Amino acid sequence: MRILITGGAGFIGSHLADRLLDEGHSVIAIDNLATGHTRNVEHLAGHERFRFVKHDVTEYVYVEGELDVVVHLASLPSPVDYLRKPIPTLKVGALGTHKALGLARAKKALFMLASTSEVYGDPLVHPQPEDYWGNVNPVGPRGVYDESKRFAEAITMAYHRYHGLDTRIFRIFNTYGPRMRVDDGRVVTNFIAQALRGQALTVYDDGSRTRSFCFVSDLVDGILRLLESNETEPVNLGNPDEMTILEFAQAVQRLTGNETELVYVQPTDERTKDDPQVRRPDISRARERLGWAPRVGLEDGLGQTIQYFRGLLGDEAA
Ligand code: UDP
């Protein structure tokens, strides 16, 4: 198949590109490099079935020839990024999704939307099944991301219902692994970089909020299974292994050998406003309809991620 990935030089997009190429497909990766980086795809330079195009998906996308699949991953999914760049976040979720859908429709391609657990907001139902409609504050700081993805899901379903476009929607829960940006401000990268630099880990508030962390190869497996399925309803892709941020900090300390104290920080900006108190995917649908469940445990996944950051930080890493 010939597959276009928006956000193809990003953390998840580049791993998806690797996997699709391994399976014999051709990949066109487009990325405006706002948060993605050519470093993530430089090992693919010269690959005969891979092409990288620097382009912003909020602008008209022109692609010559046929396409079988469009995977729309372009986004600014890290809270520090979307708080800093709220308007580009809304634009890529709204205008970018519209352009990517238009491209898929013109090429009669399958359209796959990367959505998010943030569509559930600060959830009142726990764990979160796909038929929960969520608890999002539209005018809060996180609203720019959450609502852009909710809009993206709505317009995807409109193209499906009105234009008969074949579509898939996957809701990604906190995913981690090599190629995350060291400065993306998320808990995984903050803690690993702090630990490797011998600094104290910054636990926001009291560390009692929960997240469930999924290793990137498991997510990519789920995306491929969804691609091969006929499932047009949204599907959660995440690891149900839930833990508090405090427990997560301790796991990073243990695996890096960092022995500094944790510091409890009360961010003064809007970083933790409307921060979901709990998050854990109900993956019954993915299990039943795709035969998918994550396989990589935290120790293994974190080990690989720590190794990547050790290489990236070089002499800075203790
Ligand atoms: N967090 C933290 N310390 C950090 C960064 C994040 O305690 O240095 C917390 C944050 O407040 C949230 C959780 O970790 O409760 C996950 O945050 P992240 O930015 O990774 O992503 P989110 O799941 O909120 O989108």
Side-chain angles (χ1 to χ4, degrees), residues 79 142 174 186-187 190 202 204 209 211 245 275 279:
R142 294 177 90 102
N174 295 68
R186 301 181 122 180
V187 70
N190 276 8
T202 53
Y204 297 160
R209 292 190 189 107
R211 293 294 186 271
I245 294 303
D275 192 358
R279 178 180 292 155

Side-chain angles (χ1 to χ4, degrees), residues 79-98:
V80 294
D81 290 330
Y82 61 72
L83 297 176
R84 214 182 287 139
K85 296 182 179 170
I87 295 166
T89 301
L90 282 156
K91 283 174 72 176
V92 70
L95 309 181
T97 305
H98 184 220

